[in-house]
Amino acid sequence: MTPPNMPPEKESSPEPPSRRMLLRAAGAAAAVTSSGVIAAGCAPAAAATAATAPAADATVAAAPGGFPDYRYVKALLTPSQLKYNPTGEIIFPCIRGVYDKLSNPLGRYYLYYGPHDAPGGICLAYGDSLEGPFTEYAGNPIVSNNWQPHYSVSHVASAHVLWNTDVNELWLYFHGENGTTRLARSKNGINFTYDKVVLNTSMMASGTNETSYARVFRHDLPSRDARFVMLFMTNNQSNHRDIGWGWSKDARNWTFDQRPLITHSDVRVNNISGPHLLSRNDSTYVAYHTDKEHGGNVLITEVGNDFNRRNHLGVFYQSSSTAPDNGRSAAPSFGTDRGVPYMVYEAGERLKGVIAVARG
C-alpha cells in the first residue's frame, strides 16, 4: 500500500518561488465559496476573535486570486485526546454546516475526519462554531474498513461529504484501498447506506496505481453536460503524485480526464495532493498541498469556470515552521461562520499532526 500525502523523495527539484513573489491580488472583499459548497455547506455561527498563534508574513493582505490571507487560530482535534484512536494519527478534514439541512443535528457543524493507516475509519465530530470546540461522536467510526457484503479492505480514509440538493442527502466519498473511491449516502450525516465504487485505477490511464483523496463539488460544466466535478490525487510508476479530475451529471457516474489537471512538475515539486475547488470573482480555482520537502504549503491554480486555464498562482497558505504546522499544511477544507471565512486543515508532518483551523 502506498502511503498518502507525499512521502519523502530522493529526487529533488528547484524550490518554488516565495509567497511574496507569487501573490497575484491585493483585495479580499468578496465572499469565499467553493462552487456552492463553501457558502451553502457552512453558514454563519459565531464571530471571530483575534488569532493567537503562528501567522505568515504580516505585511501580506491577501492570498492569490484575491482570497483572504488565512491565519492559524487553534487545533481542533488532537489524536491523543480522541477515544477512537487506533493508530495515533488523523488526516483529511471535511467541514460541513448542517444546521439548515438536517433535523435536530448534534451541532451546527459536522467535521468528518479519520486515521489513515489500517484499520482507518471514517469519523465524525460536531460543534457549534468553526473555531470549536468539537465533540467526538461516541459511535466512531461511522464507516469501517469492513462493510459486508460490499467490501473488506485494510483501511478506509479521506472522508469528503457533499450536500446533494437533488436528493437532500449527505453523500460521503472515501477511499479504501488507495486505488478505489467509494460512495455512501445518508439522511442524517451519521448513518450511511453503501452505494457504489465511483473511481478506481482501472478507470484511469494505464499504469495508474493510486486514485484517492477525492473531493466532489457542485459545479456546472455545460460543455460537458455536467453538474459536478471530482478532484483527486493520482499516482503511477513514476511515484510523483498529481491532481486528477472528472465530471458527472449526477455525482454517481463519472467521466475522468486521462491526463492530470495539475502535475507536480507544473509547480516544480515532487508531489501534490488534497485538492479543493474554490470560486471567486467569476473564476474557479484549485487549492492543493505540496510535499514537505518543497515547502509543505497549500498552493493555488486558477483553472477557470470551464477548466481550460492553468494559471499557477503560487502559495495560498504558507505553513509555519512552528507547531502545529511544523513545516506542513495539507488537505484544506473551507467554510464560513457568520460571514467569516475559515480553512480547516491537516497541520503537521504526515501521520503526526492535528486537525487545525485558520481564519481569513
Side-chain angles (χ1 to χ4, degrees):
M1 178 181 65
T2 305
N5 293 340
M6 290 51 98
E9 304 270 358
K10 292 183 179 179
E11 179 182 344
S12 63
S13 303
E15 290 290 339
S18 69
R19 178 175 191 169
R20 188 184 297 274
M21 293 172 61
L22 286 165
L23 294 180
R24 293 290 186 267
V32 180
T33 68
S34 74
S35 302
V37 175
I38 291 178
C42 306
T49 57
T52 58
D57 186 350
T59 66
V60 176
F67 289 93
D69 185 39
Y70 289 90
R71 305 298 182 94
Y72 171 85
V73 178
K74 63 189 293 189
L76 296 177
L77 296 175
T78 300
S80 63
Q81 298 174 2
L82 299 173
K83 292 182 179 178
Y84 181 74
N85 179 24
T87 57
E89 45 85 16
I90 51 176
I91 66 164
F92 208 82
C94 178
I95 189 74
R96 286 291 168 260
V98 295
Y99 68 92
D100 57 346
K101 298 172 178 60
L102 305 180
S103 299
N104 301 312
L106 299 173
R108 291 172 62 86
Y109 298 95
Y110 280 7
L111 174 55
Y112 296 89
Y113 67 97
H116 176 269
D117 284 356
I122 306 305
C123 297
L124 170 68
Y126 54 91
D128 291 324
S129 166
L130 290 185
E131 293 194 22
F134 279 87
T135 300
E136 179 184 8
Y137 178 63
N140 282 335
I142 58 176
V143 173
S144 77
N145 65 326
N146 189 348
W147 193 345
Q148 296 298 329
H150 309 297
Y151 63 78
S152 178
V153 295
S154 72
H155 77 289
V156 292
S158 73
H160 177 83
V161 175
L162 165 77
W163 174 250
N164 190 328
T165 57
D166 294 347
V167 291
N168 291 329
E169 292 178 349
L170 288 164
W171 285 24
L172 166 66
Y173 300 85
F174 61 102
H175 81 248
E177 309 289 355
N178 281 8
T180 300
T181 295
R182 307 173 190 275
L183 168 64
R185 301 163 61 169
S186 176
K187 293 290 187 182
N188 64 9
I190 300 171
N191 306 111
F192 284 85
T193 300
Y194 185 83
D195 191 326
K196 61 183 289 188
V197 170
V198 293
L199 169 64
N200 61 35
T201 54
S202 68
M203 301 175 185
M204 299 300 295
S206 176
T208 301
N209 55 33
E210 286 183 85
T211 48
S212 53
Y213 301 95
R215 293 192 189 272
V216 173
F217 305 91
R218 178 73 175 84
H219 182 85
D220 289 328
L221 289 172
S223 63
R224 300 178 187 267
D225 192 28
R227 301 168 55 246
F228 298 89
V229 166
M230 180 188 293
L231 303 174
F232 56 94
M233 185 194 79
T234 182
N235 191 17
N236 55 35
Q237 295 96 326
S238 72
N239 204 30
H240 291 287
R241 291 159 180 83
D242 300 320
I243 303 303
W245 78 295
W247 53 92
S248 172
K249 194 171 185 176
D250 61 5
R252 291 185 72 244
N253 302 291
W254 294 85
T255 301
F256 298 103
D257 195 326
Q258 300 301 292
R259 300 162 299 175
L261 177 69
I262 306 167
T263 70
H264 67 282
S265 58
D266 289 339
V267 291
R268 295 183 291 162
V269 301
N270 280 344
N271 296 280
I272 54 178
S273 186
H276 196 293
L277 202 69
L278 297 170
S279 294
R280 194 176 183 87
N281 298 329
D282 197 32
S283 192
T284 301
Y285 304 78
V286 178
Y288 50 93
H289 70 259
T290 72
D291 52 280
K292 183 177 179 180
E293 292 67 36
H294 292 87
N297 300 316
V298 177
L299 306 186
I300 189 167
T301 293
E302 183 182 13
V303 296
N305 295 333
D306 292 330
F307 279 61
N308 56 4
R309 300 181 193 172
R310 299 294 183 271
N311 187 12
H312 306 299
L313 298 177
V315 175
F316 178 84
Y317 182 81
Q318 186 166 333
S319 63
S320 170
S321 61
T322 59
D325 288 2
N326 293 322
R328 180 179 178 272
S329 302
S333 181
F334 296 85
T336 58
D337 194 341
R338 195 159 293 170
V340 178
Y342 288 89
M343 180 181 76
V344 180
Y345 68 103
E346 287 179 41
E349 294 189 44
R350 178 185 169 271
L351 305 186
K352 296 180 181 179
V354 302
I355 302 303
V357 63
R359 182 174 58 242

PDB file of all heavy atoms in Angstrom, residues 123-153:
ATOM      1  N   CYS A 123     -14.705   9.068  10.616  1.00  0.00           N
ATOM      2  CA  CYS A 123     -15.119   9.540  11.935  1.00  0.00           C
ATOM      3  C   CYS A 123     -15.849  10.880  11.828  1.00  0.00           C
ATOM      4  O   CYS A 123     -15.738  11.590  10.832  1.00  0.00           O
ATOM      5  CB  CYS A 123     -13.907   9.683  12.846  1.00  0.00           C
ATOM      6  SG  CYS A 123     -13.051   8.133  13.160  1.00  0.00           S
ATOM      7  N   LEU A 124     -16.550  11.214  12.904  1.00  0.00           N
ATOM      8  CA  LEU A 124     -17.348  12.437  12.965  1.00  0.00           C
ATOM      9  C   LEU A 124     -17.114  13.146  14.287  1.00  0.00           C
ATOM     10  O   LEU A 124     -17.042  12.507  15.344  1.00  0.00           O
ATOM     11  CB  LEU A 124     -18.836  12.087  12.811  1.00  0.00           C
ATOM     12  CG  LEU A 124     -19.846  13.211  13.080  1.00  0.00           C
ATOM     13  CD1 LEU A 124     -19.754  14.293  12.017  1.00  0.00           C
ATOM     14  CD2 LEU A 124     -21.266  12.647  13.143  1.00  0.00           C
ATOM     15  N   ALA A 125     -16.991  14.471  14.212  1.00  0.00           N
ATOM     16  CA  ALA A 125     -17.058  15.333  15.390  1.00  0.00           C
ATOM     17  C   ALA A 125     -18.048  16.452  15.073  1.00  0.00           C
ATOM     18  O   ALA A 125     -18.313  16.743  13.910  1.00  0.00           O
ATOM     19  CB  ALA A 125     -15.689  15.907  15.738  1.00  0.00           C
ATOM     20  N   TYR A 126     -18.608  17.060  16.104  1.00  0.00           N
ATOM     21  CA  TYR A 126     -19.629  18.082  15.886  1.00  0.00           C
ATOM     22  C   TYR A 126     -19.418  19.256  16.837  1.00  0.00           C
ATOM     23  O   TYR A 126     -18.860  19.120  17.926  1.00  0.00           O
ATOM     24  CB  TYR A 126     -21.031  17.498  16.059  1.00  0.00           C
ATOM     25  CG  TYR A 126     -21.262  16.784  17.383  1.00  0.00           C
ATOM     26  CD1 TYR A 126     -21.754  17.466  18.495  1.00  0.00           C
ATOM     27  CD2 TYR A 126     -20.960  15.432  17.525  1.00  0.00           C
ATOM     28  CE1 TYR A 126     -21.963  16.825  19.697  1.00  0.00           C
ATOM     29  CE2 TYR A 126     -21.153  14.778  18.731  1.00  0.00           C
ATOM     30  CZ  TYR A 126     -21.651  15.477  19.817  1.00  0.00           C
ATOM     31  OH  TYR A 126     -21.843  14.837  21.022  1.00  0.00           O
ATOM     32  N   GLY A 127     -19.847  20.435  16.377  1.00  0.00           N
ATOM     33  CA  GLY A 127     -19.696  21.635  17.184  1.00  0.00           C
ATOM     34  C   GLY A 127     -20.571  22.747  16.654  1.00  0.00           C
ATOM     35  O   GLY A 127     -21.180  22.633  15.586  1.00  0.00           O
ATOM     36  N   ASP A 128     -20.617  23.851  17.386  1.00  0.00           N
ATOM     37  CA  ASP A 128     -21.484  24.978  17.033  1.00  0.00           C
ATOM     38  C   ASP A 128     -20.720  26.168  16.489  1.00  0.00           C
ATOM     39  O   ASP A 128     -21.319  27.196  16.173  1.00  0.00           O
ATOM     40  CB  ASP A 128     -22.299  25.405  18.252  1.00  0.00           C
ATOM     41  CG  ASP A 128     -23.345  24.362  18.632  1.00  0.00           C
ATOM     42  OD1 ASP A 128     -23.904  23.730  17.708  1.00  0.00           O
ATOM     43  OD2 ASP A 128     -23.581  24.177  19.838  1.00  0.00           O
ATOM     44  N   SER A 129     -19.410  26.058  16.364  1.00  0.00           N
ATOM     45  CA  SER A 129     -18.586  27.117  15.808  1.00  0.00           C
ATOM     46  C   SER A 129     -17.429  26.483  15.064  1.00  0.00           C
ATOM     47  O   SER A 129     -16.927  25.417  15.461  1.00  0.00           O
ATOM     48  CB  SER A 129     -18.055  28.031  16.920  1.00  0.00           C
ATOM     49  OG  SER A 129     -17.016  28.864  16.438  1.00  0.00           O
ATOM     50  N   LEU A 130     -16.977  27.142  13.996  1.00  0.00           N
ATOM     51  CA  LEU A 130     -15.831  26.620  13.263  1.00  0.00           C
ATOM     52  C   LEU A 130     -14.527  26.793  14.029  1.00  0.00           C
ATOM     53  O   LEU A 130     -13.509  26.225  13.647  1.00  0.00           O
ATOM     54  CB  LEU A 130     -15.730  27.277  11.883  1.00  0.00           C
ATOM     55  CG  LEU A 130     -16.826  26.877  10.895  1.00  0.00           C
ATOM     56  CD1 LEU A 130     -16.564  27.488   9.526  1.00  0.00           C
ATOM     57  CD2 LEU A 130     -16.933  25.362  10.772  1.00  0.00           C
ATOM     58  N   GLU A 131     -14.547  27.547  15.113  1.00  0.00           N
ATOM     59  CA  GLU A 131     -13.382  27.638  15.981  1.00  0.00           C
ATOM     60  C   GLU A 131     -13.460  26.657  17.143  1.00  0.00           C
ATOM     61  O   GLU A 131     -12.632  26.673  18.046  1.00  0.00           O
ATOM     62  CB  GLU A 131     -13.200  29.071  16.486  1.00  0.00           C
ATOM     63  CG  GLU A 131     -12.832  30.047  15.380  1.00  0.00           C
ATOM     64  CD  GLU A 131     -12.325  31.376  15.896  1.00  0.00           C
ATOM     65  OE1 GLU A 131     -11.854  31.436  17.047  1.00  0.00           O
ATOM     66  OE2 GLU A 131     -12.385  32.363  15.148  1.00  0.00           O
ATOM     67  N   GLY A 132     -14.482  25.784  17.098  1.00  0.00           N
ATOM     68  CA  GLY A 132     -14.630  24.774  18.125  1.00  0.00           C
ATOM     69  C   GLY A 132     -15.315  25.317  19.370  1.00  0.00           C
ATOM     70  O   GLY A 132     -15.755  26.474  19.400  1.00  0.00           O
ATOM     71  N   PRO A 133     -15.431  24.495  20.422  1.00  0.00           N
ATOM     72  CA  PRO A 133     -14.880  23.142  20.470  1.00  0.00           C
ATOM     73  C   PRO A 133     -15.699  22.142  19.662  1.00  0.00           C
ATOM     74  O   PRO A 133     -16.892  22.357  19.414  1.00  0.00           O
ATOM     75  CB  PRO A 133     -14.940  22.805  21.959  1.00  0.00           C
ATOM     76  CG  PRO A 133     -16.124  23.581  22.455  1.00  0.00           C
ATOM     77  CD  PRO A 133     -16.101  24.870  21.687  1.00  0.00           C
ATOM     78  N   PHE A 134     -15.053  21.042  19.245  1.00  0.00           N
ATOM     79  CA  PHE A 134     -15.723  19.945  18.577  1.00  0.00           C
ATOM     80  C   PHE A 134     -15.734  18.725  19.491  1.00  0.00           C
ATOM     81  O   PHE A 134     -14.741  18.431  20.160  1.00  0.00           O
ATOM     82  CB  PHE A 134     -15.037  19.604  17.254  1.00  0.00           C
ATOM     83  CG  PHE A 134     -15.445  20.522  16.136  1.00  0.00           C
ATOM     84  CD1 PHE A 134     -14.774  21.721  15.938  1.00  0.00           C
ATOM     85  CD2 PHE A 134     -16.500  20.199  15.301  1.00  0.00           C
ATOM     86  CE1 PHE A 134     -15.150  22.581  14.913  1.00  0.00           C
ATOM     87  CE2 PHE A 134     -16.883  21.055  14.282  1.00  0.00           C
ATOM     88  CZ  PHE A 134     -16.217  22.246  14.085  1.00  0.00           C
ATOM     89  N   THR A 135     -16.866  18.040  19.514  1.00  0.00           N
ATOM     90  CA  THR A 135     -17.057  16.855  20.343  1.00  0.00           C
ATOM     91  C   THR A 135     -16.991  15.607  19.477  1.00  0.00           C
ATOM     92  O   THR A 135     -17.665  15.523  18.444  1.00  0.00           O
ATOM     93  CB  THR A 135     -18.421  16.908  21.059  1.00  0.00           C
ATOM     94  OG1 THR A 135     -18.471  18.073  21.882  1.00  0.00           O
ATOM     95  CG2 THR A 135     -18.640  15.676  21.910  1.00  0.00           C
ATOM     96  N   GLU A 136     -16.187  14.652  19.884  1.00  0.00           N
ATOM     97  CA  GLU A 136     -16.075  13.401  19.153  1.00  0.00           C
ATOM     98  C   GLU A 136     -17.375  12.611  19.254  1.00  0.00           C
ATOM     99  O   GLU A 136     -17.931  12.436  20.350  1.00  0.00           O
ATOM    100  CB  GLU A 136     -14.924  12.576  19.710  1.00  0.00           C
ATOM    101  CG  GLU A 136     -14.723  11.233  19.033  1.00  0.00           C
ATOM    102  CD  GLU A 136     -13.628  10.408  19.684  1.00  0.00           C
ATOM    103  OE1 GLU A 136     -13.142  10.826  20.756  1.00  0.00           O
ATOM    104  OE2 GLU A 136     -13.260   9.365  19.118  1.00  0.00           O
ATOM    105  N   TYR A 137     -17.878  12.119  18.125  1.00  0.00           N
ATOM    106  CA  TYR A 137     -19.082  11.295  18.123  1.00  0.00           C
ATOM    107  C   TYR A 137     -18.784   9.972  18.826  1.00  0.00           C
ATOM    108  O   TYR A 137     -17.775   9.320  18.549  1.00  0.00           O
ATOM    109  CB  TYR A 137     -19.543  11.055  16.688  1.00  0.00           C
ATOM    110  CG  TYR A 137     -20.754  10.170  16.583  1.00  0.00           C
ATOM    111  CD1 TYR A 137     -21.974  10.547  17.139  1.00  0.00           C
ATOM    112  CD2 TYR A 137     -20.683   8.953  15.901  1.00  0.00           C
ATOM    113  CE1 TYR A 137     -23.084   9.729  17.037  1.00  0.00           C
ATOM    114  CE2 TYR A 137     -21.796   8.134  15.781  1.00  0.00           C
ATOM    115  CZ  TYR A 137     -22.994   8.532  16.359  1.00  0.00           C
ATOM    116  OH  TYR A 137     -24.097   7.728  16.254  1.00  0.00           O
ATOM    117  N   ALA A 138     -19.676   9.575  19.724  1.00  0.00           N
ATOM    118  CA  ALA A 138     -19.422   8.404  20.568  1.00  0.00           C
ATOM    119  C   ALA A 138     -19.384   7.100  19.783  1.00  0.00           C
ATOM    120  O   ALA A 138     -18.774   6.122  20.229  1.00  0.00           O
ATOM    121  CB  ALA A 138     -20.485   8.324  21.670  1.00  0.00           C
ATOM    122  N   GLY A 139     -20.030   7.075  18.610  1.00  0.00           N
ATOM    123  CA  GLY A 139     -20.110   5.843  17.839  1.00  0.00           C
ATOM    124  C   GLY A 139     -19.066   5.703  16.754  1.00  0.00           C
ATOM    125  O   GLY A 139     -19.223   4.864  15.852  1.00  0.00           O
ATOM    126  N   ASN A 140     -17.990   6.478  16.801  1.00  0.00           N
ATOM    127  CA  ASN A 140     -16.943   6.368  15.779  1.00  0.00           C
ATOM    128  C   ASN A 140     -16.279   4.993  15.810  1.00  0.00           C
ATOM    129  O   ASN A 140     -16.136   4.404  16.886  1.00  0.00           O
ATOM    130  CB  ASN A 140     -15.881   7.455  15.989  1.00  0.00           C
ATOM    131  CG  ASN A 140     -16.332   8.810  15.498  1.00  0.00           C
ATOM    132  OD1 ASN A 140     -17.168   8.922  14.629  1.00  0.00           O
ATOM    133  ND2 ASN A 140     -15.748   9.862  16.068  1.00  0.00           N
ATOM    134  N   PRO A 141     -15.881   4.490  14.629  1.00  0.00           N
ATOM    135  CA  PRO A 141     -16.034   5.100  13.305  1.00  0.00           C
ATOM    136  C   PRO A 141     -17.439   4.864  12.759  1.00  0.00           C
ATOM    137  O   PRO A 141     -18.042   3.816  13.007  1.00  0.00           O
ATOM    138  CB  PRO A 141     -14.999   4.359  12.463  1.00  0.00           C
ATOM    139  CG  PRO A 141     -14.951   2.985  13.073  1.00  0.00           C
ATOM    140  CD  PRO A 141     -15.136   3.212  14.550  1.00  0.00           C
ATOM    141  N   ILE A 142     -17.946   5.840  12.006  1.00  0.00           N
ATOM    142  CA  ILE A 142     -19.277   5.680  11.423  1.00  0.00           C
ATOM    143  C   ILE A 142     -19.234   4.823  10.167  1.00  0.00           C
ATOM    144  O   ILE A 142     -20.263   4.298   9.726  1.00  0.00           O
ATOM    145  CB  ILE A 142     -19.936   7.047  11.140  1.00  0.00           C
ATOM    146  CG1 ILE A 142     -19.071   7.894  10.208  1.00  0.00           C
ATOM    147  CG2 ILE A 142     -20.214   7.786  12.438  1.00  0.00           C
ATOM    148  CD1 ILE A 142     -19.731   9.214   9.808  1.00  0.00           C
ATOM    149  N   VAL A 143     -18.047   4.697   9.545  1.00  0.00           N
ATOM    150  CA  VAL A 143     -17.816   3.765   8.437  1.00  0.00           C
ATOM    151  C   VAL A 143     -16.487   3.067   8.718  1.00  0.00           C
ATOM    152  O   VAL A 143     -15.485   3.737   8.981  1.00  0.00           O
ATOM    153  CB  VAL A 143     -17.774   4.476   7.072  1.00  0.00           C
ATOM    154  CG1 VAL A 143     -17.353   3.513   5.972  1.00  0.00           C
ATOM    155  CG2 VAL A 143     -19.131   5.096   6.751  1.00  0.00           C
ATOM    156  N   SER A 144     -16.480   1.744   8.657  1.00  0.00           N
ATOM    157  CA  SER A 144     -15.276   0.981   8.967  1.00  0.00           C
ATOM    158  C   SER A 144     -14.682   0.366   7.711  1.00  0.00           C
ATOM    159  O   SER A 144     -15.220   0.507   6.603  1.00  0.00           O
ATOM    160  CB  SER A 144     -15.604  -0.121   9.978  1.00  0.00           C
ATOM    161  OG  SER A 144     -16.263  -1.200   9.336  1.00  0.00           O
ATOM    162  N   ASN A 145     -13.591  -0.349   7.894  1.00  0.00           N
ATOM    163  CA  ASN A 145     -12.905  -0.985   6.771  1.00  0.00           C
ATOM    164  C   ASN A 145     -13.526  -2.323   6.380  1.00  0.00           C
ATOM    165  O   ASN A 145     -13.070  -2.963   5.434  1.00  0.00           O
ATOM    166  CB  ASN A 145     -11.424  -1.186   7.091  1.00  0.00           C
ATOM    167  CG  ASN A 145     -11.197  -2.153   8.236  1.00  0.00           C
ATOM    168  OD1 ASN A 145     -11.998  -2.197   9.174  1.00  0.00           O
ATOM    169  ND2 ASN A 145     -10.111  -2.901   8.193  1.00  0.00           N
ATOM    170  N   ASN A 146     -14.572  -2.721   7.087  1.00  0.00           N
ATOM    171  CA  ASN A 146     -15.275  -3.967   6.775  1.00  0.00           C
ATOM    172  C   ASN A 146     -16.773  -3.699   6.742  1.00  0.00           C
ATOM    173  O   ASN A 146     -17.396  -3.514   7.787  1.00  0.00           O
ATOM    174  CB  ASN A 146     -14.945  -5.030   7.823  1.00  0.00           C
ATOM    175  CG  ASN A 146     -15.460  -6.411   7.436  1.00  0.00           C
ATOM    176  OD1 ASN A 146     -16.244  -6.554   6.506  1.00  0.00           O
ATOM    177  ND2 ASN A 146     -15.016  -7.425   8.155  1.00  0.00           N
ATOM    178  N   TRP A 147     -17.325  -3.625   5.549  1.00  0.00           N
ATOM    179  CA  TRP A 147     -18.755  -3.323   5.368  1.00  0.00           C
ATOM    180  C   TRP A 147     -19.324  -4.401   4.452  1.00  0.00           C
ATOM    181  O   TRP A 147     -19.330  -4.281   3.244  1.00  0.00           O
ATOM    182  CB  TRP A 147     -18.903  -1.934   4.747  1.00  0.00           C
ATOM    183  CG  TRP A 147     -20.298  -1.379   4.792  1.00  0.00           C
ATOM    184  CD1 TRP A 147     -21.452  -2.047   5.041  1.00  0.00           C
ATOM    185  CD2 TRP A 147     -20.675  -0.011   4.566  1.00  0.00           C
ATOM    186  NE1 TRP A 147     -22.533  -1.197   4.995  1.00  0.00           N
ATOM    187  CE2 TRP A 147     -22.079   0.065   4.709  1.00  0.00           C
ATOM    188  CE3 TRP A 147     -19.967   1.148   4.257  1.00  0.00           C
ATOM    189  CZ2 TRP A 147     -22.788   1.253   4.539  1.00  0.00           C
ATOM    190  CZ3 TRP A 147     -20.667   2.328   4.101  1.00  0.00           C
ATOM    191  CH2 TRP A 147     -22.059   2.388   4.235  1.00  0.00           C
ATOM    192  N   GLN A 148     -19.785  -5.450   5.091  1.00  0.00           N
ATOM    193  CA  GLN A 148     -20.304  -6.587   4.329  1.00  0.00           C
ATOM    194  C   GLN A 148     -21.735  -6.324   3.857  1.00  0.00           C
ATOM    195  O   GLN A 148     -22.512  -5.684   4.560  1.00  0.00           O
ATOM    196  CB  GLN A 148     -20.277  -7.853   5.197  1.00  0.00           C
ATOM    197  CG  GLN A 148     -18.881  -8.280   5.597  1.00  0.00           C
ATOM    198  CD  GLN A 148     -18.030  -8.632   4.402  1.00  0.00           C
ATOM    199  OE1 GLN A 148     -18.535  -9.115   3.379  1.00  0.00           O
ATOM    200  NE2 GLN A 148     -16.730  -8.371   4.510  1.00  0.00           N
ATOM    201  N   PRO A 149     -22.085  -6.775   2.654  1.00  0.00           N
ATOM    202  CA  PRO A 149     -21.283  -7.589   1.729  1.00  0.00           C
ATOM    203  C   PRO A 149     -20.507  -6.760   0.707  1.00  0.00           C
ATOM    204  O   PRO A 149     -20.075  -7.287  -0.313  1.00  0.00           O
ATOM    205  CB  PRO A 149     -22.351  -8.399   1.016  1.00  0.00           C
ATOM    206  CG  PRO A 149     -23.493  -7.421   0.901  1.00  0.00           C
ATOM    207  CD  PRO A 149     -23.473  -6.586   2.166  1.00  0.00           C
ATOM    208  N   HIS A 150     -20.282  -5.486   0.992  1.00  0.00           N
ATOM    209  CA  HIS A 150     -19.771  -4.571  -0.032  1.00  0.00           C
ATOM    210  C   HIS A 150     -18.256  -4.628  -0.176  1.00  0.00           C
ATOM    211  O   HIS A 150     -17.743  -4.591  -1.296  1.00  0.00           O
ATOM    212  CB  HIS A 150     -20.232  -3.151   0.272  1.00  0.00           C
ATOM    213  CG  HIS A 150     -21.703  -3.048   0.517  1.00  0.00           C
ATOM    214  ND1 HIS A 150     -22.640  -3.358  -0.444  1.00  0.00           N
ATOM    215  CD2 HIS A 150     -22.405  -2.698   1.635  1.00  0.00           C
ATOM    216  CE1 HIS A 150     -23.858  -3.189   0.055  1.00  0.00           C
ATOM    217  NE2 HIS A 150     -23.733  -2.793   1.312  1.00  0.00           N
ATOM    218  N   TYR A 151     -17.536  -4.674   0.944  1.00  0.00           N
ATOM    219  CA  TYR A 151     -16.083  -4.700   0.861  1.00  0.00           C
ATOM    220  C   TYR A 151     -15.478  -5.112   2.196  1.00  0.00           C
ATOM    221  O   TYR A 151     -16.115  -5.003   3.257  1.00  0.00           O
ATOM    222  CB  TYR A 151     -15.508  -3.347   0.426  1.00  0.00           C
ATOM    223  CG  TYR A 151     -15.791  -2.221   1.412  1.00  0.00           C
ATOM    224  CD1 TYR A 151     -15.045  -2.080   2.587  1.00  0.00           C
ATOM    225  CD2 TYR A 151     -16.796  -1.284   1.174  1.00  0.00           C
ATOM    226  CE1 TYR A 151     -15.289  -1.056   3.492  1.00  0.00           C
ATOM    227  CE2 TYR A 151     -17.042  -0.253   2.067  1.00  0.00           C
ATOM    228  CZ  TYR A 151     -16.291  -0.144   3.230  1.00  0.00           C
ATOM    229  OH  TYR A 151     -16.536   0.856   4.130  1.00  0.00           O
ATOM    230  N   SER A 152     -14.251  -5.554   2.136  1.00  0.00           N
ATOM    231  CA  SER A 152     -13.393  -5.759   3.300  1.00  0.00           C
ATOM    232  C   SER A 152     -11.984  -5.389   2.857  1.00  0.00           C
ATOM    233  O   SER A 152     -11.392  -6.063   2.009  1.00  0.00           O
ATOM    234  CB  SER A 152     -13.435  -7.206   3.793  1.00  0.00           C
ATOM    235  OG  SER A 152     -12.561  -7.390   4.894  1.00  0.00           O
ATOM    236  N   VAL A 153     -11.439  -4.298   3.398  1.00  0.00           N
ATOM    237  CA  VAL A 153     -10.167  -3.747   2.953  1.00  0.00           C
ATOM    238  C   VAL A 153      -9.297  -3.462   4.170  1.00  0.00           C
ATOM    239  O   VAL A 153      -9.762  -3.496   5.311  1.00  0.00           O
ATOM    240  CB  VAL A 153     -10.370  -2.459   2.130  1.00  0.00           C
ATOM    241  CG1 VAL A 153     -11.103  -2.757   0.824  1.00  0.00           C
ATOM    242  CG2 VAL A 153     -11.147  -1.404   2.936  1.00  0.00           C
TER     243      VAL A 153
END
